[in-house]
């Protein structure tokens, strides 16, 4: 099952100006693409927005045709229990295997039941294998 | 009158005598120029020889900056290197620069022109002169330095920058005459309050020479009022010698071109036709006395006009109006000459950026600032913010290495820059906006 990835994050370059993010969400909304997660990172006058979407191929296509600069990466989206210590247990597995997290954010899937943690690591395939081996499930598009 | 001229007889020469001298010197310099590989070939191919009147001079072809580059380094040299003692190079150019050579006689004439210019404004040997221009390949600093020493002023070669120290020198040594970029004179103003110094009350300044970049009458007035001085416009270019080609007198109504050493013409930049005095056009200059590297009908690309009539100061050498612009796209950034194509060349070496870019020039705290906006190629985007920041720094470093000045680089979204319609508008000069 390795490599048959479950989720994709699109990264879009944008200028740090009013209306830039809204333009991107508008394009995705018009294309019927649902956003599962979103983060924004600012580098001063420009930044990047990262979106986890329901249909990355469609999203990629509509963003590119709108002349936006987009890149796509496979993402690990680990499912944890939505309860105290849920995320902590996941991190324990990563720490024990000496895996460093570059970027990370989470969102709730089902209130008080399941949450998703999007993890960005350097060696994605290895991290995925280790998590799978520890019984962690993944969220899919 | 005598006391205000360094060389009274020359400066107030009767116009007809001046014209006769120019004709004689033109023929001499044409003969001298013919000894250089470039002019030797050009003149013989076109059967060009002596001229019988100044009107006949328009038969001679123009010389352009590109000719200097195409014949780099020695194509314009009339003698052997044994006779030359100095070279200077135009500031800020990339690739092949414009290089000029001097014999000891050339340096002597240059110094004489600068001395004459400074003396004209009232600078005397009892003055203390602070030279805040760049020294080195740039002619601005060294040219004034030698002129000031010949005049007999105590000369402080402080060079540009280090604003607090400049003010310290001014105060400690009672500087009375200064040479400064107009933009720097404005910038320096912001340092006085924190030093607790009122230039009008605490300093001995009386004269400033401002030049090397075009500036408005408004900027001059601002400088004069803040420092409590008279500011005189200085004009020159390394191809002629450097500063000292034309200079303002106390009347401050145009700049006297030193016509015993430089022959000015105003042409229509489109057609090359010589225009009568009073009409706006491009300034074309011929060196009348240069020996190492005479230039014939050199197109300065500076736009101005010759002011008709005799100046109230009594000098007969014709005056040009302050420079109003350029007939090419050269940019003058805090005194450094930059062509947009130099920026383009650097950008094109960076694979991550697309073909569309825009150069903006703004005034920030009275100093010129270049902003280069570039679009990144979608396929070069790896999705990391750090990659973008690194790219931004890499472009800025590459531009700084090549241009000497430090532009601000801004990454913009593809399609956000104006798309070229026909001739692309790559430069947006907002300094006077």
């Amino acid at each position: 099952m390795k490599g048959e990835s479950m989720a994709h994050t699109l990264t879009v370059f944008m200028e740090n100006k009013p209306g830039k993010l809204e333009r991107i969400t508008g394009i995705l909304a018009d294309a019927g693409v649902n956003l599962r997660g979103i983060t924004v990172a600012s580098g001063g006058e420009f930044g990047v927005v990262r979106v986890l979407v329901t249909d990355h191929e469609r999203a990629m296509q509509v963003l590119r045709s709108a002349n936006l600069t987009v890149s796509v990466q496979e993402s690990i989206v680990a499912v944890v229990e939505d309860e105290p210590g849920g995320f902590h247990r996941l991190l324990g597995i990563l720490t024990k295997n000496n895996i460093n997290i570059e970027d990370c954010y989470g969102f709730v899937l089902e209130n008080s039941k399941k949450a998703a943690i999007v993890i960005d690591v350097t060696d994605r395939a290895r991290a995925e294998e280790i998590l799978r081996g520890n019984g962690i499930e993944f969220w899919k598009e | 009158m005598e006391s205000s001229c360094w060389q009274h007889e020359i400066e107030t020469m009767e116009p007809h005598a001046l014209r006769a001298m120019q004709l004689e010197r033109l023929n001499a310099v044409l003969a001298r120029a013919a000894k250089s590989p470039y002019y030797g070939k050009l003149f013989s191919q076109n059967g060009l020889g002596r001229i019988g009147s100044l009107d006949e001079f328009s038969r001679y072809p123009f010389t352009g900056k590109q000719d200097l580059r195409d014949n780099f380094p020695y194509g314009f040299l009339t003698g052997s290197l044994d006779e030359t003692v100095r070279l200077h190079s135009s500031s800020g150019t990339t690739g092949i620069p414009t290089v000029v050579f001097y014999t000891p006689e050339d340096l002597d004439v240059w110094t004489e022109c600068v001395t004459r210019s400074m003396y004209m404004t009232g600078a005397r040997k009892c003055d203390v002169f602070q030279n805040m221009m760049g020294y080195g390949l740039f002619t601005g600093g060294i040219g004034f330095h030698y002129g000031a020493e010949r005049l007999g002023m105590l000369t402080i070669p402080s060079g540009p920058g280090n604003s607090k120290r400049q003010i310290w020198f001014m105060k400690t040594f009672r500087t009375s005459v200064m040479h400064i970029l107009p933009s720097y004179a404005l910038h320096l103003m912001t340092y006085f309050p924190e030093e607790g110094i009122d230039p009008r009350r605490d300093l001995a300044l009386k004269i400033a020479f401002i030049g090397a970049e075009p500036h408005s009458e408004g900027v001059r007035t601002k400088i004069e009022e803040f420092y409590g001085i008279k500011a005189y416009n200085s004009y020159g270019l390394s191809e002629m010698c450097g500063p000292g080609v034309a200079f303002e007198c106390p009347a401050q109504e145009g700049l006297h071109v030193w016509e015993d050493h430089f022959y000015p013409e105003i042409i229509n930049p489109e057609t090359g036709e010589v225009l009568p005095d009073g009409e706006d056009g491009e300034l074309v200059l011929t060196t009348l006395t240069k020996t190492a590297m005479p230039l014939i009908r050199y197109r300065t690309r500076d736009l101005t006009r010759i002011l008709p009539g005799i100046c109230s100061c009594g000098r007969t050498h014709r005056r040009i109006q302050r420079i109003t612009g350029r007939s090419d796209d050269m940019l003058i950034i805090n005194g450094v000459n930059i062509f947009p194509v130099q920026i383009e060349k650097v950008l094109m070496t960076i694979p991550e950026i697309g073909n569309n870019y825009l150069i903006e020039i703004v005034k920030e705290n009275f100093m010129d600032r270049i902003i280069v906006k570039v679009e990144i190629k979608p396929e070069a985007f790896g999705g990391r913010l750090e990659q973008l920041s690194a790219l931004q720094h890499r472009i800025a470093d590459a531009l700084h290495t090549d241009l000497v000045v430090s532009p601000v680089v801004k990454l913009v979204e593809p399609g956000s820059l104006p798309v070229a319609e026909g001739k692309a508008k790559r430069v947006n000069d907002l300094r006077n906006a």
Side-chain angles (χ1 to χ4, degrees):
Chain A
M1 292 299 285
K2 193 182 157 209
E4 188 201 301
S5 207
M6 343 67 181
H8 292 83
T9 294
L10 301 187
T11 310
V12 189
F13 167 74
M14 60 177 185
E15 286 171 56
N16 197 350
K17 282 181 187 167
K20 292 289 181 187
L21 188 55
E22 192 216 2
R23 180 168 168 244
I24 295 166
T25 54
I27 292 164
L28 295 174
D30 289 347
V33 174
N34 198 14
L35 299 176
R36 303 314 305 238
I38 181 161
T39 56
V40 174
S42 168
E45 282 165 340
F46 59 83
V48 292
V49 54
R50 293 199 183 88
V51 287
L52 189 72
V53 292
T54 50
D55 181 350
H56 80 275
E57 280 172 1
R58 173 91 182 118
M60 192 76 179
Q61 183 203 344
V62 291
L63 291 171
R64 282 232 164 120
S65 54
N67 206 10
L68 286 158
T69 303
V70 199
S71 113
V72 62
Q73 297 92 32
E74 292 181 338
S75 290
I76 296 174
V77 186
V79 177
V80 298
E81 286 79 32
D82 184 14
E83 61 178 29
F87 181 37
H88 179 68
R89 278 193 291 278
L90 178 76
L91 288 181
I93 300 168
L94 295 173
T95 307
K96 205 167 74 186
N97 290 281
N98 199 28
I99 293 169
N100 193 42
I101 297 178
E102 300 291 335
D103 196 7
C104 164
Y105 66 96
F107 53 94
V108 172
L109 287 170
E110 277 179 78
N111 200 14
S112 296
K113 284 185 182 167
K114 282 180 175 180
I117 306 291
V118 185
I119 313 165
D120 184 9
V121 294
T122 334
D123 188 348
R124 193 192 49 78
R126 179 170 165 259
E128 198 180 309
E129 206 182 306
I130 288 165
L131 290 174
R132 199 187 301 278
N134 280 274
I136 300 288
E137 289 186 354
F138 301 101
W139 177 86
K140 294 174 188 171
E141 273 180 24
Chain B
M1 187 69 239
E2 272 82 351
S3 65
S4 76
C5 287
W6 178 252
Q7 291 157 308
H8 183 77
E9 271 179 37
I10 292 168
E11 291 174 47
T12 59
M13 214 168 173
E14 286 300 322
H16 69 271
L18 189 55
R19 300 289 160 259
M21 180 202 248
Q22 287 176 325
L23 181 60
E24 192 188 316
R25 289 188 170 184
L26 267 180
N27 276 313
V29 82
L30 288 171
R32 175 89 194 185
K35 291 179 182 172
S36 72
Y38 176 76
Y39 285 124
K41 195 173 157 200
L42 184 74
F43 294 172
S44 69
Q45 273 176 353
N46 293 285
L48 293 163
R50 285 185 67 84
I51 52 170
S53 72
L54 291 174
D55 289 341
E56 284 176 36
F57 188 44
S58 60
R59 292 206 317 253
Y60 274 81
F62 297 115
T63 306
K65 213 176 183 72
Q66 194 56 44
D67 296 318
L68 298 181
R69 293 210 180 97
D70 291 345
N71 294 277
F72 175 89
Y74 301 127
F76 281 84
L77 204 59
T78 62
S80 78
L81 285 177
D82 287 359
E83 298 166 40
T84 61
V85 293
R86 172 102 61 86
L87 75 73
H88 277 286
S89 178
S90 61
S91 47
T93 47
T94 189
I96 297 177
T98 314
V99 175
V100 290
F101 300 92
Y102 304 74
T103 62
E105 296 76 40
D106 294 335
L107 292 178
D108 182 63
V109 166
W110 180 19
T111 300
E112 201 60 28
C113 287
V114 175
T115 309
R116 190 196 286 177
S117 301
M118 290 196 280
Y119 194 89
M120 173 167 69
T121 66
R124 296 295 180 268
K125 59 184 299 177
C126 55
D127 281 309
V128 175
F129 174 63
Q130 191 166 331
N131 194 10
M132 290 179 264
M133 281 292 194
Y135 281 72
L137 287 170
F138 176 51
T139 54
I142 287 185
F144 269 81
H145 181 96
Y146 280 82
E149 288 186 346
R150 181 168 296 185
L151 206 157
M153 293 191 281
L154 170 61
T155 302
I156 307 172
S158 61
N162 208 338
S163 300
K164 288 186 178 182
R165 200 179 55 159
Q166 300 284 9
I167 295 171
W168 181 84
F169 270 119
M170 286 178 183
K171 189 166 185 257
T172 307
F173 295 100
R174 309 297 291 159
T175 300
S176 53
V177 180
M178 62 177 180
H179 180 208
I180 189 167
L181 281 176
S183 57
Y184 187 54
L186 295 171
H187 178 70
L188 193 61
M189 289 176 186
T190 59
Y191 288 83
F192 283 92
E194 59 178 286
E195 297 297 304
I197 289 173
D198 174 355
R200 303 182 73 112
R201 187 192 64 208
D202 304 323
L203 300 178
L205 290 172
K206 58 175 193 181
I207 293 168
F209 307 127
I210 53 175
E213 61 187 13
H215 56 277
S216 62
E217 191 62 46
V219 164
R220 184 236 293 278
T221 308
K222 212 167 179 172
I223 293 169
E224 289 190 331
E225 284 174 0
F226 180 84
Y227 293 96
I229 55 170
K230 281 282 180 191
Y232 296 100
N233 195 347
S234 155
Y235 177 79
L237 57 161
S238 63
E239 293 89 333
M240 290 298 110
C241 60
V245 175
F247 221 90
E248 268 184 339
C249 67
Q252 292 184 317
E253 286 168 353
L255 296 81
H256 290 279
V257 178
W258 297 126
E259 289 201 79
D260 51 333
H261 296 296
F262 307 100
Y263 183 70
E265 296 172 275
I266 298 291
I267 64 159
N268 176 330
E270 307 290 327
T271 63
E273 177 203 0
V274 179
L275 301 173
D277 289 2
E279 284 195 27
D280 291 312
E282 180 186 324
L283 179 65
V284 168
L285 290 169
T286 298
T287 62
L288 291 174
T289 51
K290 210 95 182 271
T291 56
M293 192 175 155
L295 290 179
I296 308 303
R297 304 195 84 202
Y298 184 72
R299 292 192 62 164
T300 66
R301 298 289 174 180
D302 288 321
L303 300 177
T304 181
R305 67 190 178 108
I306 290 177
L307 301 174
I310 296 288
C311 183
S312 60
C313 78
R315 287 177 187 81
T316 51
H317 296 233
R318 283 177 294 172
R319 295 161 297 157
I320 52 169
Q321 196 179 34
R322 67 169 65 248
I323 305 300
T324 56
R326 299 273 306 171
S327 69
D328 61 8
D329 58 355
M330 189 178 89
L331 302 167
I332 302 178
I333 308 297
N334 299 322
V336 176
N337 299 345
I338 290 171
F339 286 91
V341 67
Q342 293 174 249
I343 294 174
E344 181 173 292
K345 273 185 192 163
V346 174
L347 295 180
M348 294 306 126
T349 62
I350 296 169
E352 290 94 332
I353 53 189
N355 291 326
N356 213 6
Y357 67 92
L358 183 71
I359 301 163
E360 278 183 359
I361 303 150
V362 296
K363 278 273 182 205
E364 262 178 32
N365 204 7
F366 305 116
M367 299 295 277
D368 299 329
R369 169 81 61 205
I370 306 181
I371 297 165
V372 180
K373 292 184 170 178
V374 295
E375 292 180 357
I376 60 169
K377 278 185 191 159
E379 58 270 29
F381 178 55
R384 302 193 80 95
L385 187 64
E386 309 84 78
Q387 177 209 8
L388 296 173
S389 304
L391 174 65
Q392 189 183 25
H393 287 119
R394 191 147 51 86
I395 300 168
D397 286 348
L399 288 169
H400 175 71
T401 305
D402 251 49
L403 303 175
V404 187
V405 301
S406 296
V408 175
V409 174
K410 289 190 179 180
L411 303 180
V412 301
E413 293 174 23
S416 64
L417 295 177
V419 180
E421 288 166 10
K423 196 175 186 295
K425 185 169 163 44
R426 297 295 195 193
V427 180
N428 199 1
D429 196 337
L430 302 166
R431 282 178 290 191
N432 296 318

